[in-house]
Amino acid sequence: MYRATVGQTLRAYRTRSGRSTFDIASAAGMTPRQYEALETGSGWPGAAAYTAALEALQIPAEARTGLNFCGKPLGTALAATLRGFTVPAIMVDHGWRVVEANRQATRLLPELIQPGRSLLRWILCSPEARWHLVNAVDVAGTFAAVLYNALVMAPFDPDLWSLANEIKEDVQKVGRGKSPDVDGLDLVWRTESGPYQMVSLFVSVPARRPDLRQIALHIEPLLLPGQDPGTEQWSEAVLAGIARCAVCQSDMVYEWGPVYRCPRDCWEAVDATVLEEEVANVVLPRVYTEGALAGLAQLQEVVMACGSQPALPAPVSVQHALYQWRHQMPLSARRELVASWVASVAVSRGGPAATIGGLSLDFCWLPGS
C-alpha cells in the first residue's frame, strides 16, 4: 500500500488550507527555507521546529500517527532495510551522527560506526580520515558545505557550531564554493595494504523519517593485486613488425615457445620474454623520465579524484615501471607502449654492445620520441 512521505503530508495539509510556505514558516517561527526543506526532504530544522510546523498546519492529533517520530529509534521495517543491504550502510541523523549501521559498515569502520559518533567530525577533523582519503581536501570541502547547510537548517545545534569552529581554514575555503549534495560523491580510499578503493556514497532520505539520512557505500578496488588489469589479448606479439634480424633485415617471426626467430635462420632463435624485457630495459627509461613521472602522478590524482579507475597506478620510478611490465601490464598495453616509441629494433647475437641476455639491439626511434 502506498504511503505518502512526511513532506508530501505536510504539503497536502498546507495546500488544503490555501496558505503559502511563507505563511506556515512565519506561523511556526522558522525561515521559509527551513520549512521548504521539510516539504522537500532536503534538510532537517530540528524536532522543535518540526513540531511547530505541525501545529501551524493544524494537523489534528489523530492524523499524526506516522508523524510523531522525533526521538524514536528506527522502526522495524527501516532497520530491516538497513540490515538487508549487501554493501556497508549507515543511518545518520541531521548532524551526520551515527544512529545505526549494518554488519558490513561495522567491519569497514569498527571504531567510527558507533551510535552517536559523528561522520562529519571524522571527515572534517580526523588525521586518520586525511590519511585514508587521497582526495581528502575535496571531500572535506564538500562536507564543510554539508555542515554549513545543516547550520542553516538547525542554527541552534551546539554540536554543529562546535564542529564549525574546529575545522581548518583550508577546508573552510574549499567548502564555500561546494554544493552540499554528497549523493554520488566518490572517495578515493587509501588502504594500508592491497589496492586503493573507490568508495561511492549514495544518500537517501527515508520516506517516513526526514530527520535521518541513509548512506550506502559502494566499494570497488581500483586495481586487483597480482591480476592483469585487462583481459584483452593482442593477436600479435609485443615486438611483431618491430623486431628485425640485424643480419638480413627481415622481420622476426614470433612462434611457439614462445620465441622470436629470423625467418632465414641467420642465428639461433631467442626467448620471447628475454628479448621483450631487454627492449623494455631500453625503452622504459626513455619514456618515464623524472618529469614524465611527476606529470603522471599529478594526472593520476586528478583522474582518481574525478571517480575514474586507472587500469594501472602511475609508476613512481623506472624500476616500478619495469615491475609493472613484468607482472601487471597486459600484452596489449606493452605492445602499444613500444609501438608508440620504436619504429624498429635490429636484433643480433653477441657483439661488443651485447646486453646481459647476450643480445645486441639497434633501435630506430619514431620521430619525437
Side-chain angles (χ1 to χ4, degrees):
M1 183 178 68
Y2 171 77
R3 295 183 67 190
T5 66
V6 170
Q8 289 170 337
T9 302
L10 300 184
R11 189 181 304 113
Y13 273 94
R14 179 180 59 78
T15 304
R16 196 177 304 161
S17 69
R19 289 180 289 174
S20 68
T21 56
F22 181 83
D23 295 333
I24 301 299
S26 297
M30 66 176 76
T31 66
R33 181 175 176 180
Q34 287 174 309
Y35 177 74
E36 288 165 5
L38 281 175
E39 286 198 0
T40 61
S42 60
W44 178 250
Y50 170 69
T51 302
L54 297 183
E55 294 295 331
L57 288 164
Q58 300 177 342
I59 299 177
E62 61 272 15
R64 297 189 187 185
T65 304
L67 301 177
N68 293 327
F69 50 77
C70 294
K72 294 183 179 180
L74 295 185
T76 303
L78 199 53
T81 299
L82 192 69
R83 291 193 299 269
F85 275 95
T86 58
V87 299
I90 311 163
M91 197 72 72
V92 298
D93 66 12
H94 73 282
W96 286 67
R97 292 172 287 256
V98 176
V99 175
E100 195 166 324
N102 66 1
R103 289 194 306 269
Q104 293 89 333
T106 303
R107 286 196 296 266
L108 178 67
L109 297 167
E111 296 182 3
L112 176 62
I113 306 303
Q114 299 295 329
R117 293 293 298 273
S118 171
L119 287 180
L120 261 180
R121 183 176 296 277
W122 185 79
I123 288 173
L124 292 173
C125 300
S126 168
E128 181 186 8
R130 292 207 168 204
W131 183 88
H132 274 298
L133 297 172
V134 175
N135 55 339
V137 174
D138 283 340
V139 171
T142 299
F143 275 88
V146 170
L147 171 60
Y148 297 143
N149 186 66
L151 278 169
V152 170
M153 292 295 107
F156 304 110
D157 189 307
D159 288 345
L160 295 178
W161 275 114
S162 173
L163 180 55
N165 292 328
E166 289 179 38
I167 62 176
K168 296 177 182 276
E169 186 176 348
D170 62 333
V171 173
Q172 292 179 6
K173 288 181 180 178
V174 176
R176 291 187 191 111
K178 291 278 189 179
S179 164
D181 184 10
V182 299
D183 186 37
L185 181 66
D186 290 328
L187 317 180
V188 184
W189 190 264
R190 179 187 286 115
T191 58
E192 294 181 1
S193 60
Y196 282 16
Q197 295 173 325
M198 185 69 72
V199 181
S200 300
L201 303 184
F202 295 96
V203 183
S204 59
V205 179
R208 307 299 296 175
R209 290 299 300 265
D211 57 328
L212 302 179
R213 296 292 181 269
Q214 182 173 269
I215 310 165
L217 293 82
H218 290 257
I219 304 173
E220 296 182 10
L222 292 175
L223 180 65
L224 299 177
Q227 285 191 324
D228 276 350
T231 57
E232 180 186 359
Q233 296 293 314
W234 281 70
S235 59
E236 295 181 312
V238 172
L239 300 177
I242 296 174
R244 295 181 178 178
C245 172
V247 177
C248 67
Q249 297 301 309
S250 299
D251 285 346
M252 297 185 73
V253 177
Y254 180 80
E255 57 186 31
W256 185 84
V259 296
Y260 288 94
R261 180 181 62 84
C262 170
R264 298 185 179 181
D265 293 321
C266 292
W267 46 278
E268 185 180 350
V270 60
D271 182 272
T273 301
V274 171
L275 177 57
E276 290 171 4
E277 186 154 328
E278 294 289 6
V279 169
N281 285 332
V282 176
V283 173
L284 296 188
R286 193 178 181 109
V287 174
Y288 297 109
T289 62
E290 184 175 346
L293 291 170
L296 285 172
Q298 293 175 357
L299 178 61
Q300 177 177 260
E301 285 286 314
V302 172
V303 169
M304 292 172 71
C306 292
S308 296
Q309 299 182 7
L312 282 174
V316 299
S317 66
V318 173
Q319 289 303 316
H320 185 199
L322 285 168
Y323 176 86
Q324 290 180 325
W325 172 281
R326 296 184 188 116
H327 303 290
Q328 297 175 321
M329 195 178 291
L331 178 62
S332 58
R334 281 180 275 156
R335 165 79 185 180
E336 183 178 358
L337 190 153
V338 174
S340 298
W341 286 75
V342 180
S344 65
V345 55
V347 184
S348 61
R349 288 276 189 185
T355 64
I356 295 175
L359 302 173
S360 290
L361 307 177
D362 185 15
F363 285 83
C364 177
W365 301 95
L366 287 171
S369 62

